[in-house]
């Protein structure tokens, strides 16, 4: 099994190097919670000067959220909370 695209170590390294999900080619996006709409669901929009159409995001992996919380979202699922500093870094890459 010498194929570099196979195996957990190769896959995780490749995903980090390319900056997107190796499975679906989608990227994590910084989003801000606008409204909590239900258990483990929130209405969020992009954290950018341009804003975006609000999207419903599953939040069960990051725990309870409140309006104003900033999250890294992939495929409609919040993966982690963003600190103010990491939000600036992610937003700069998205605008980039």
């Amino acid at each position: 099994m010498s194929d570099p695209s196979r195996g957990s170590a190769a896959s995780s390294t490749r995903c980090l190097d390319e900056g997107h999900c190796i499975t679906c080619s989608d990227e994590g996006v910084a989003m801000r919670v606008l409204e909590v709409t239900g258990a483990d669901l929130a209405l969020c929009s992009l954290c950018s000067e341009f804003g975006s159409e609000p999207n419903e995001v599953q939040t069960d992996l990051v725990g309870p959220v409140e309006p104003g919380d900033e999250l890294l979202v992939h495929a409609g699922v919040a993966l982690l909370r963003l600190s103010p500093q990491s939000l600036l870094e992610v937003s700069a890459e998205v605008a980039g």
Side-chain angles (χ1 to χ4, degrees), residues 55-73:
N55 292 292
E56 194 164 61
V57 173
Q58 295 177 359
T59 60
D60 50 333
L61 295 178
V62 296
V65 297
E66 297 179 8
D69 286 350
E70 296 153 347
L71 310 169
L72 182 68
V73 177

Side-chain angles (χ1 to χ4, degrees), residues 26-83:
D26 201 1
E27 296 182 2
V29 179
M31 299 191 89
R32 182 170 290 118
V33 176
L34 302 175
E35 175 185 344
V36 176
T37 58
D40 299 327
L41 291 173
L43 198 58
C44 300
S45 77
L46 290 177
C47 293
S48 76
E49 60 204 63
F50 305 110
S52 70
E53 285 289 318
N55 292 292
E56 194 164 61
V57 173
Q58 295 177 359
T59 60
D60 50 333
L61 295 178
V62 296
V65 297
E66 297 179 8
D69 286 350
E70 296 153 347
L71 310 169
L72 182 68
V73 177
H74 174 267
V77 177
L79 301 177
L80 58 93
R81 295 175 185 271
L82 296 173
S83 67

